[in-house]
Amino acid sequence: MSNIDIRPALASDLARITEIYADAVTNGTASYELEAPSLAEMTARFEAVSAAGWPYLVASGGGAVLGYAYAGPFRPRPAYRFIVENSVYVAPEAKGRGVGKALMEALVGECRRLGFRQIVAVIGDGSPRSPSVRLHERLGFRHSGMLAATGWKHGRWLDTVLMQLPMNGGGDGDPDPDSLPERRFRAALAGTPG
């Protein structure tokens, strides 16, 4: 798809983001949520990601938001601070047009710039034919594991696939002391805002 604009998400995008996610929850298997969250809940989630300094992006084209992607904490323990988990959702009418790929390329770039060392994708309904699995494979993510029959949705058991993309040296060498995750960690230890 041509003319896709990738930019940071704004509060004014949240109604459309909520619609896109509601479709994924209601009709899809990528999310294991069973009830679509409200705009207020999606706003709180957006604010938490944004306040932490993690990237939250939207793709737009033709005057409409076509999809969104963000990175957030993989797990809350501090030793995990150099790894993020990504999420990407595309509006039904924009699927198969390169929106997810454009979002993920930009998200990976932002995570790399911020100094993260790994991105993990936790993919619901992670069958080999899953569009999300195929997208992540095309972007260089490798399969790291599969959890069988972890979600029950739409009358069937779903497997969860874990995929991982190393960057900024991955597990080789020490982390960058000036990276966002390390600066935030040191600030938390010192009791100052990060």
Side-chain angles (χ1 to χ4, degrees):
M1 176 181 193
S2 61
N3 300 326
I4 299 173
D5 179 43
I6 306 295
R7 61 172 173 77
L10 305 170
S12 59
D13 299 319
L14 290 172
R16 179 64 175 144
I17 287 169
T18 301
E19 290 174 6
I20 292 168
Y21 188 60
D23 178 75
V25 169
T26 304
N27 300 310
T29 52
S31 170
Y32 283 9
E33 289 197 70
L34 300 176
E35 303 270 333
S38 67
L39 176 58
E41 174 60 25
M42 292 296 285
T43 299
R45 293 176 189 187
F46 168 76
E47 289 172 350
V49 169
S50 298
W54 291 306
Y56 201 124
L57 307 173
V58 295
S60 61
V65 171
L66 304 172
Y68 69 99
Y70 64 91
F74 175 66
R75 296 288 180 267
R77 304 284 190 263
Y80 285 117
R81 68 188 175 274
F82 296 101
I83 182 173
V84 292
E85 181 178 335
N86 77 275
S87 293
V88 58
Y89 292 94
V90 176
E93 69 277 7
K95 289 181 179 176
R97 295 166 47 192
V99 173
K101 183 174 187 271
L103 279 164
M104 282 301 300
E105 287 173 342
L107 186 68
V108 167
E110 275 299 294
C111 290
R112 186 175 281 121
R113 183 186 67 77
L114 292 169
F116 291 103
R117 303 293 287 251
Q118 306 278 347
I119 300 179
V120 169
V122 180
I123 302 172
D125 193 15
S127 68
R129 66 186 179 281
S130 160
S132 188
V133 168
R134 291 193 321 256
L135 169 64
H136 285 82
E137 286 172 342
R138 284 193 306 271
L139 294 171
F141 282 71
R142 68 177 191 270
H143 289 264
S144 298
M146 195 263 301
L147 305 170
T150 52
W152 176 258
K153 190 170 181 182
H154 300 308
R156 65 185 178 102
W157 286 108
L158 304 171
D159 297 338
T160 301
V161 167
L162 304 174
M163 298 182 77
Q164 183 174 351
L165 178 70
M167 58 190 161
N168 294 325
D172 296 329
D174 292 341
D176 179 355
D178 294 321
S179 66
L180 174 70
E182 189 60 15
R183 289 192 324 265
R184 288 182 57 79
F185 176 69
R186 288 195 317 263
L189 288 177
T192 59

